[in-house]
Amino acid sequence: MGRVYVVGTADTKREELDYVREKIARAGHAAALVDVGIGPTTGVDIPNHVIAKSHPEGEEFVFSRQTRGEALDAMGLALTRYLSQQNDIDGVIGIGGSGNTGMVTRAMRSLPVGLPKVMVSTIASGDVSTYVGSSDINMISSITDIAGLNRINRLILGNAATAIAAMAANPVCQTPSERPEIGLTQFGVTTPCIDGVRAHLSREFDCISFHATGTGGRAMEQLVASGLIEGVLDLTTTEIADHIVGGVLSAGEERLNAVRDTGVPCVLSLGALDVVNFWSRESVPPQFAERTFHKHNPEVTLMRTSDEECEKIGRWIGGKLNSCRGHVKVLAPMNGFSALDIDGGPFWDPAADQTLVEALASEIAKTSNVELIKFNLHINDKEFALRAANLMREMVFQSRIQ
């Protein structure tokens, strides 16, 4: 049995860290207090100077920073490298304010999916996407400031300690799968397509779906980069439209980097590239006031991509695919990219779709690793799902015998 690492700045949060360590021990699991503070401390299990030695520039670099913020930033990198080298971690729990939260979650994000991670933070009730990223960190609001123990935070910290002790003591055992893992991207307006693909492949593959909401795309890319996914059915690339146009569900400039850099077999399509996502109608930037919209629900407003935007999207995708190490099949459903982009639907615009496909084709003409295949089908047609599934099966098994 390993240990739960209790991480924080012992020069400012020692009482609270000791309390969490004690609660984990009382719950029956070994715990180690990891000090990532800058000031001198004693009695911790893993001192700050041990962590600092893992920084690429060495211990002296960390402690010679001019401000505490700079030193903690350097300590965050050192902690990330240190934790990645340990083989006795059953879980990690951190406590603190914004500075500690940023430092500890940075290290947590580098740890494997499934390893228990709990962060008790003063900012956990706000937008924590920056801290969680595409990982599985459990954020718990501290309610009170973490500045000495009191009746309220004893409850919060005690519950968090007990929770991670239970997670560490009861790991979820997974039997090895003989089926290759493949990632699929989906959205509400492409769900029929993905359901069809899954029906064709689920007996042979472990199909792992990702909701294309920014976080989903980043999570899939992280797993691909980690070597945990053998093939990608990236049929719903809508996050790229949000990135190019300015929607709220972008996965960032790094989208498609993992496929590009790893050479993983990939079947890619243009699912929901007719869609840019915003929150309520009032949240849509004023420059888009005269555009075509669809009210998905009271909280989500969809905007149709324009001809000009489709050209930019096509060129962006093609530019990424041009430098792919492996082979990519790009499937273009010429009868519509989503449930809204269909004859009679609110986003039906075959001219804009054609512009996107032509822009993409002009870019990928520079490489022999990418093949564009046009189908006179809608993305949600059963035949399209069948063809995508067959290509994925062929590409994955071909890669296994090479």
Side-chain angles (χ1 to χ4, degrees), residues 378-398:
H378 187 271
I379 194 167
N380 289 330
D381 286 346
K382 292 181 180 180
E383 181 66 18
F384 184 85
L386 174 62
R387 297 193 185 190
N390 286 342
L391 281 170
M392 183 84 277
R393 180 186 295 110
E394 175 186 324
M395 292 176 73
V396 169
F397 287 121
Q398 182 66 32

Side-chain angles (χ1 to χ4, degrees), residues 218-274:
R218 289 192 297 271
M220 185 185 72
E221 300 252 344
Q222 180 180 356
L223 292 173
V224 170
S226 301
L228 299 176
I229 290 181
E230 280 194 55
V232 174
L233 272 159
D234 199 354
L235 301 181
T236 308
T237 44
T238 185
E239 293 157 322
I240 296 169
D242 278 39
H243 173 63
I244 298 298
V245 181
V248 297
L249 300 183
S250 168
E253 179 65 26
E254 296 76 23
R255 189 70 167 84
L256 299 184
N257 280 7
V259 167
R260 179 195 67 189
D261 297 339
T262 63
V264 66
C266 177
V267 176
L268 183 144
S269 191
L270 313 176
L273 284 176
D274 56 307

Side-chain angles (χ1 to χ4, degrees), residues 120-157:
V120 184
S121 172
T122 60
I123 58 173
S125 62
D127 180 1
V128 296
S129 58
T130 300
Y131 303 102
V132 175
S134 56
S135 71
D136 57 342
I137 299 170
N138 295 276
M139 299 288 289
I140 298 178
S141 175
S142 64
I143 307 298
T144 71
D145 198 357
I146 303 176
L149 289 172
N150 56 63
R151 181 182 179 187
I152 302 300
N153 67 22
R154 279 190 174 92
L155 290 172
I156 305 301
L157 293 171

Side-chain angles (χ1 to χ4, degrees), residues 20 46 50 82 92 103 118 127 143 145 182 191 210 220 264 324 332 366 372 391 393 397:
V20 171
I46 304 173
V50 172
Y82 178 83
V92 178
M103 176 169 48
V118 173
D127 180 1
I143 307 298
D145 198 357
I182 57 172
T191 293
F210 298 89
M220 185 185 72
V264 66
C324 275
K366 304 168 186 176
L372 175 64
L391 281 170
R393 180 186 295 110
F397 287 121

Side-chain angles (χ1 to χ4, degrees), residues 11 75 121 125 176 239 250 256 260 281 284 317 319 347 369:
D11 55 344
M75 187 68 83
S121 172
S125 62
E239 293 157 322
S250 168
L256 299 184
R260 179 195 67 189
R281 183 64 178 82
V284 177
I317 294 173
F347 283 2
N369 281 354

